[in-house]
Amino acid sequence: HPPALHRFVGYLEETAVETYGNLVEKAETPGTQLHEAWADLPAPAIAKTYWKLPDDATWITTLKHILADEAHHRDVNHTFATLPPDADNPFIADHMKDFDRAALERVQKALFSPPASNSDTPKQPPLAV
């Protein structure tokens, strides 16, 4: 029964949202062990790449992005739990915009980034989005 499974996953995601929210709150509160351990910890390189974070991003910034992702997953699953079987996917338009933007970025990088061995080659201007 897909609606029941979507509802179940929505509740699992809600638990994740609460967990990450708690972690962020503790990590931002001076005097807590998480604040002492994580306040100045840099974001991992993979997080900086995935979310396009600035070079000085912190682990707490990463946790906030994970929290936002989990909240989106929660909302999507609860939405699918309430949709009639023949309803259109209400998220497909945004998904396709994101897909198109990401595909364009990959093409630009492949076409206009200089080879690693010759970094003096000038880059071409980006394509319009």
Side-chain angles (χ1 to χ4, degrees):
H1 190 60
L5 294 175
H6 279 296
R7 185 68 68 201
F8 174 70
V9 172
Y11 289 131
L12 290 177
E13 298 290 0
E14 180 62 34
T15 301
V17 168
E18 292 172 8
T19 300
Y20 283 108
N22 187 33
L23 287 171
V24 168
E25 179 184 345
K26 299 291 187 215
E28 291 185 325
T29 302
T32 64
Q33 290 179 344
L34 285 181
H35 183 268
E36 296 302 317
W38 291 352
D40 298 318
L41 192 65
I46 193 168
K48 291 177 185 178
T49 300
Y50 184 78
W51 284 294
K52 297 181 170 83
L53 301 177
D55 289 338
D56 62 348
T58 65
W59 175 238
I60 296 172
T61 303
T62 303
L63 290 173
K64 289 177 179 180
H65 280 78
I66 295 170
L67 171 72
D69 278 357
E70 297 301 335
H72 178 68
H73 300 159
R74 173 203 58 203
D75 296 345
V76 166
N77 277 283
H78 283 308
T79 298
F80 283 138
T82 61
L83 282 179
D86 59 344
D88 290 336
N89 180 337
F91 301 101
I92 196 69
D94 286 339
H95 174 74
M96 292 311 298
K97 283 184 212 169
D98 290 343
F99 175 81
D100 290 345
R101 187 190 76 250
L104 183 58
E105 288 174 5
R106 283 191 297 276
V107 167
Q108 287 178 338
K109 185 175 181 179
L111 292 176
F112 301 122
S113 292
S117 61
N118 188 1
S119 60
D120 294 332
T121 305
K123 292 184 180 180
Q124 297 295 319
L127 299 173
V129 179

